Amino acid sequence: MKKFSHKDLLGMGQLSVDDIELILDTAESFKEISTRDIKKVPTLRGKSVVHFFYEPSTRTRTSFEMAAKRLSADTVSLSASGSSMVKGETLIDTARNLQAMNPDLIVLRHPSSGAPHLLAKEIKAGIINAGDGTNEHPTQALLDLFTIREKKGRIKGLKIAIIGDISHSRVARSNIIGLTKMGAEVTVSGPPTMIPVGIETLGVNVVCDPVEAVKKKDVVMLLRIQLERQSKVLFPGIREYASFFGLTGEMIKGAKNDVIVMHPGPMNRGVEISSEVADGPYSVILDQVTNGVAVRMALLYFLIGGYKK
Ligand code: CP
């Protein structure tokens, strides 16, 4: 039997192909629980999870809360504005105080890259990285891998385009690591100012023209333009970005007939994606959200209730 032996989930790089397959297989079996009339099993009864979100979130936070509650864990939610960090307490001191209450797991979203890694070294509870700065968002990548496998039956050998602000996207980074590890052929596209120099070393192709990048792809993944993370203006304006890089119904015709279109959310409709595509027949954007709960249930199960190290 495959074994999962990690205390924390900090990034996709730490997971082997076997780990990823185990998480996706387990999520598949947990998915059914969310369709029941009574959406609850006792698996994590008596365990406690702190959701500490130092940045706004709709999907990740709600999804983790639902995942924990569906497994019967006790949950506490803490935001930066509602914590004593506004009075000057440091992240480490905050975490040490949370640890003193003996939670089993802390789910952390933080604007600084590396914040979850720091906590993981400092405290005994498991840490899940729910997005750290521009670094990684591993649970998003896992739910994306799950959705691709569910819709396509495999990941290996698929041709996948990721389009948008690659430089500032933790979703792109985690997906590139995960998808290439699982044997997909990944192409990134976007304005040259938003493609990191040397990204080819991660095993991806770079095609700046989005029309070319989409051609004959099995999966097209869009990214949000992250104006809040850009320290300088990287393109002339939103209208220009939308007219060159926004995915339209016309552009998607170049992809395979059974292409799926993905977006981690939140979407800027009419900027990186047209409403016609976001709400159209190829879109699996809301399936991604549904699958997020199952994938996070699997992660909670492994990190606090599953295999012992
Ligand atoms: N995909 C994602 O991380 O969305 P939220 O910011 O709403 O959590």
Side-chain angles (χ1 to χ4, degrees):
M1 188 185 239
K2 288 178 188 170
K3 193 173 185 307
F4 192 86
S5 56
H6 301 275
K7 167 185 165 280
D8 312 293
L9 175 63
L10 303 176
M12 292 300 288
Q14 75 179 75
L15 299 178
S16 65
V17 171
D18 277 354
D19 287 335
I20 294 173
E21 281 172 354
L22 186 59
I23 293 165
L24 303 190
D25 292 346
T26 308
E28 211 168 273
S29 59
F30 276 135
K31 189 170 170 179
E32 179 270 331
I33 295 169
S34 296
T35 64
R36 293 182 193 170
D37 206 23
I38 308 289
K39 302 171 183 62
K40 212 171 183 70
V41 292
T43 314
L44 295 183
R45 197 164 50 198
K47 303 289 184 183
S48 46
V49 182
V50 177
H51 297 116
F52 187 14
F53 277 65
Y54 198 79
E55 270 185 350
S57 167
T58 296
R59 281 145 290 265
T60 312
R61 185 172 182 159
T62 313
S63 172
F64 264 116
E65 285 269 353
M66 285 207 175
K69 286 185 161 69
R70 283 178 190 174
L71 294 175
S72 301
D74 297 315
T75 64
V76 178
S77 255
L78 188 63
S79 63
S81 61
S83 78
S84 288
M85 290 182 80
V86 291
K87 301 179 204 160
E89 190 164 53
T90 65
L91 176 64
I92 291 287
D93 279 331
T94 303
R96 283 181 183 150
N97 279 272
L98 294 175
Q99 177 62 64
M101 295 178 233
N102 207 16
D104 295 285
L105 190 81
I106 298 177
V107 177
L108 177 72
R109 170 168 287 190
H110 199 278
S112 301
S113 299
H117 305 67
L118 189 66
L119 253 54
K121 277 195 219 135
E122 277 289 320
I123 66 171
K124 220 173 91 211
I127 303 290
I128 292 185
N129 179 0
D132 64 325
T134 55
N135 181 38
E136 280 221 45
H137 193 350
T139 66
Q140 178 69 43
L142 287 165
L143 75 88
D144 290 342
L145 292 174
F146 182 95
T147 305
I148 293 169
R149 196 179 78 159
E150 180 180 69
K151 302 291 175 193
K152 296 287 176 192
R154 67 191 166 102
I155 297 169
K156 192 173 177 148
L158 292 180
K159 295 184 191 312
I160 299 179
I162 304 178
I163 303 176
D165 183 358
I166 309 292
S167 292
H168 295 90
S169 174
R170 55 198 180 200
V171 174
R173 193 171 154 78
S174 284
N175 263 302
I176 288 169
I177 298 168
L179 288 166
T180 53
K181 195 172 278 194
M182 299 306 284
E185 189 186 300
V186 180
T187 299
V188 296
S189 181
T193 47
M194 291 181 173
I195 308 270
V197 175
I199 191 156
E200 294 89 344
T201 59
L202 294 180
V204 300
N205 309 307
V206 178
V207 176
C208 287
D209 178 353
V211 175
E212 281 305 312
V214 163
K215 276 189 184 155
K216 301 208 167 24
K217 293 298 186 287
D218 298 286
V219 179
V220 176
M221 189 182 290
L222 286 319
L223 302 171
R224 182 171 69 88
I225 289 298
Q226 308 196 30
L227 294 171
E228 77 277 17
R229 293 196 203 286
Q230 293 175 12
S231 52
K232 57 186 182 203
V233 177
L234 297 176
F235 53 91
I238 292 288
R239 198 181 306 171
E240 282 74 13
Y241 184 89
S243 69
F244 285 106
F245 291 97
L247 188 68
T248 60
E250 194 52 38
M251 276 164 80
I252 204 68
K253 285 180 188 162
K256 289 193 178 162
N257 290 337
D258 60 350
V259 67
I260 57 170
V261 175
M262 307 178 76
H263 193 304
M267 282 188 284
N268 297 304
R269 282 177 183 267
V271 181
E272 68 263 5
I273 188 166
S274 66
S275 282
E276 180 194 3
V277 177
D279 304 326
Y282 306 117
S283 172
V284 297
I285 294 168
L286 293 177
D287 299 280
Q288 290 173 259
V289 179
T290 302
N291 291 336
V293 177
V295 166
R296 289 172 175 126
M297 285 168 83
L299 290 167
L300 295 174
Y301 168 68
F302 283 126
L303 289 172
I304 55 181
Y307 299 107
K308 296 289 169 238
K309 289 132 219 166

